[in-house]
Structure formats: structure tokens, C-alpha cells
Amino acid sequence: MANEFSGTTVIDRQIDQVFAFLADGTNDLKFSPRVQKIEKTTDGPIGVGTVFESTVKDAGMTTSRKFELTEFVAPTKIRWAERSKNIVTATEGGYDLEAVGDAQTRVTIHNKLEGHGFGKLIVGFAAKAAIKDAPAFVERIKAAVEAP
């Protein structure tokens, strides 16, 4: 069984606006309740090679996370890979964006989870929780992007 999840929503904003919001990983604080803090730790504009480091709380445990952008195709595709070593990591993830008319954007998020050490035993549970939360997660993204 693949330990992957995805979710899709339509956001009432133009694709360029949605892409810019999602590309700035510090905006994760606005829609991901597990993120306690996040910062961009590389110099220069956001693009391939940009790293965001965060502190997150999952299942009562606080961990440090480091994500690197691996693909960046404005305004349609963002890909990342987790570079930190935790018991469960998102080895691959990303957003796909598609313009729907002039003022809406379809966004799909997806992540592939992998367990390390003890994480190999619990990655399936983490994936099931992420799959269950995916519809609410994309709705939190929509609300954050559409906020005034």
C-alpha cells in the first residue's frame, strides 16, 4: 500500500495569486494547524533549491522539519522533498495548479510519506490520518488564500 494522500479544491483567486501564496512556505502557518513556526532559510528569491525550516506538532510530538523546493514551474507546479530525518517524512510532495476561467484556480496537493526506524511501523497510520484530513486541509488552504 502506498502511503500517499491528495486533496483538491477550487480557490476563488487567479492562478498567479494562488501560486505566489503557496510558493511562500511561510504561509503554511495560515492553514496548517500542526505548523508552529516556519521560516525561509536560504537567500534569494523562492525557487528550486529554496529551503523552509519549520517546527511542527504531530500526535503530541514536536519535531523540526526541513523542506527543499525541487521543482518550481510558475504558475502551475511546485514540488518539494523533506530533507529532515524524522520517523515519518514527506519524501515527495507538491501542488498542481490549473486555471479555471479567469478568476478561479484548481489546486491539488499531494504527499508521499515514508517511515524510518519505528516510523516504518506507524507510517500507515500517519497516512490514514492525512487521507482523512485531506478534504479539510484543502479547504483550510482555500480559506487562507481567499482571506482578505
Side-chain angles (χ1 to χ4, degrees):
M1 176 183 139
N3 293 306
E4 301 177 22
F5 73 91
S6 65
T8 301
T9 191
V10 175
I11 298 174
D12 293 327
R13 295 288 184 269
Q14 294 178 335
I15 193 169
D16 290 334
Q17 293 173 296
V18 178
F19 184 88
F21 181 92
L22 294 174
D24 182 353
T26 63
N27 283 323
D28 285 13
L29 276 169
K30 297 177 181 176
F31 59 82
S32 182
R34 58 191 283 270
V35 177
Q36 297 179 322
K37 78 174 197 175
I38 187 167
E39 63 184 343
K40 179 177 168 274
T41 59
T42 49
D43 294 328
I46 297 171
V48 172
T50 297
V51 174
F52 291 94
E53 294 187 34
S54 62
T55 301
V56 302
K57 191 168 188 175
D58 289 313
M61 293 178 18
T62 300
T63 58
S64 296
R65 304 284 174 155
K66 181 187 284 189
F67 286 90
E68 179 180 353
L69 297 183
T70 58
E71 197 171 349
F72 196 78
V73 182
T76 59
K77 186 189 286 189
I78 301 169
R79 294 290 184 272
W80 59 76
E82 186 170 353
R83 301 300 188 209
S84 48
K85 297 298 178 197
N86 288 289
I87 59 173
V88 175
T89 59
T91 55
E92 301 172 26
Y95 295 110
D96 292 316
L97 293 84
E98 176 187 354
V100 181
D102 291 335
Q104 290 186 315
T105 304
R106 179 175 293 108
V107 175
T108 300
I109 183 175
H110 48 87
N111 273 309
K112 180 178 180 182
L113 304 178
E114 184 175 298
H116 309 278
F118 174 70
K120 290 179 181 182
L121 299 174
I122 64 168
V123 67
F125 296 107
K128 285 180 185 178
I131 291 165
K132 183 178 178 182
D133 184 55
F137 188 77
V138 294
E139 290 308 307
R140 291 192 300 270
I141 293 172
K142 175 181 173 65
V145 176
E146 292 178 357

